[in-house]
Amino acid sequence: AQSVTQPDIHITVSEGASLELRCNYSYGATPYLFWYVQSPGQGLQLLLKYFSGDTLVQGIKGFEAEFKRSQSSFNLRKPSVHWSDAAEYFCAVGEKGGGNKLTFGTGTQLKVEL
Amino acid sequence: EADIYQTPRYLVIGTGKKITLECSQTMGHDKMYWYQQDPGMELHLIHYSYGVNSTEKGDLSSESTVSRIRTEHFPLTLESARPSHTSQYLCASSDRLAGYEQYFGPGTRLTVT
């Protein structure tokens, strides 16, 4: 069965600093990978996704992520964090075919200090 | 504008009441999903549907039921609410042509007293 691990429950960074959120997955084949962001009391918004091809993917709001098959990782990065980036971030792995079901990690809560 | 809607956004209800959480999408997606999310926790899939008249239970056991009579509508029902049902419920939809990503509604925060 597929699984996702986000080892950092909470991360605090200063505004303007760089950010990296870690995500490791377990899946038997080449996965579909996603990063979502959730603001308090809201649903999830897709930041970026990886299906195939270039292992460095660009997303919205200046985020990017790199798929590393050898490390089973899909870490999210941003070179300069803004206070509005404070939110919960979820990594997810998708099941190919069938119901396109997603398995989510436990999330990383990002706090941005001004 | 294509979107996914959930109503109500917030619901406080007493134990034993029957409730229905509404979810509608205007994107024509064939697949729809219900997730349960406790504060600060991951999302757990409780129901999904491949299309009209198709429903399946998800990975997390739930006392709720769902129906899919129309493509755009995927309501979730609790016949007798209990305090253990207090949670946030998120609805999502996807489609192969949409690139497999799931689009989420804003969620319903349910509190059972």
Side-chain angles (χ1 to χ4, degrees), chain A residues 13-51:
Chain A
V13 299
S14 299
E15 189 175 38
S18 63
L19 171 70
E20 182 170 37
L21 302 183
R22 296 182 291 166
C23 172
N24 293 95
Y25 68 90
S26 173
Y27 188 70
T30 300
Y32 292 158
L33 294 162
F34 306 84
W35 274 100
Y36 283 87
V37 61
Q38 184 180 34
S39 297
Q42 299 298 315
L44 276 68
Q45 180 184 22
L46 181 71
L47 285 175
L48 47 79
K49 60 188 178 186
Y50 171 79
F51 289 163

Side-chain angles (χ1 to χ4, degrees), chain B residues 8-67:
Chain B
R9 292 292 314 278
Y10 303 92
L11 179 62
V12 180
I13 201 161
T15 297
K17 300 292 186 181
K18 178 181 179 178
I19 60 170
T20 296
L21 308 184
E22 301 288 349
C23 176
S24 294
Q25 49 99 2
T26 59
M27 296 172 281
H29 287 170
D30 56 351
K31 298 176 181 60
M32 296 188 74
Y33 314 82
W34 276 104
Y35 292 88
Q36 184 173 340
Q37 183 187 30
D38 292 324
M41 303 294 287
E42 69 264 45
L43 284 73
H44 291 287
L45 182 67
I46 52 175
H47 298 284
Y48 61 101
S49 168
Y50 293 154
V52 171
N53 294 324
S54 156
T55 61
E56 302 285 345
K57 290 190 176 295
D59 305 320
L60 181 69
S61 176
S62 174
E63 294 168 347
S64 58
T65 59
V66 293
S67 63

Side-chain angles (χ1 to χ4, degrees), chain A residues 52-106:
Chain A
S52 64
D54 193 347
T55 56
L56 184 64
V57 294
Q58 302 296 321
I60 63 171
K61 304 184 180 186
F63 286 92
E64 67 178 26
E66 185 171 12
F67 170 59
K68 293 185 177 180
R69 184 189 304 275
S70 61
Q71 299 176 19
S72 297
S73 69
F74 189 56
N75 294 348
L76 182 71
R77 301 194 293 250
K78 186 170 185 178
S80 178
V81 170
H82 188 262
W83 63 266
S84 61
D85 293 324
E88 184 97 25
Y89 291 80
F90 290 94
C91 181
V93 59
E95 176 185 297
K96 293 186 180 181
N100 299 344
K101 292 186 287 182
L102 296 181
T103 299
F104 286 85
T106 52

Side-chain angles (χ1 to χ4, degrees), chain B residues 72-96:
Chain B
E72 63 272 19
H73 194 212
F74 191 41
L76 181 146
T77 298
L78 278 165
E79 291 292 333
S80 180
R82 296 207 300 268
S84 61
H85 296 140
T86 295
S87 189
Q88 171 150 274
Y89 293 85
L90 291 165
C91 181
S93 70
S94 78
D95 187 272
R96 179 179 57 84

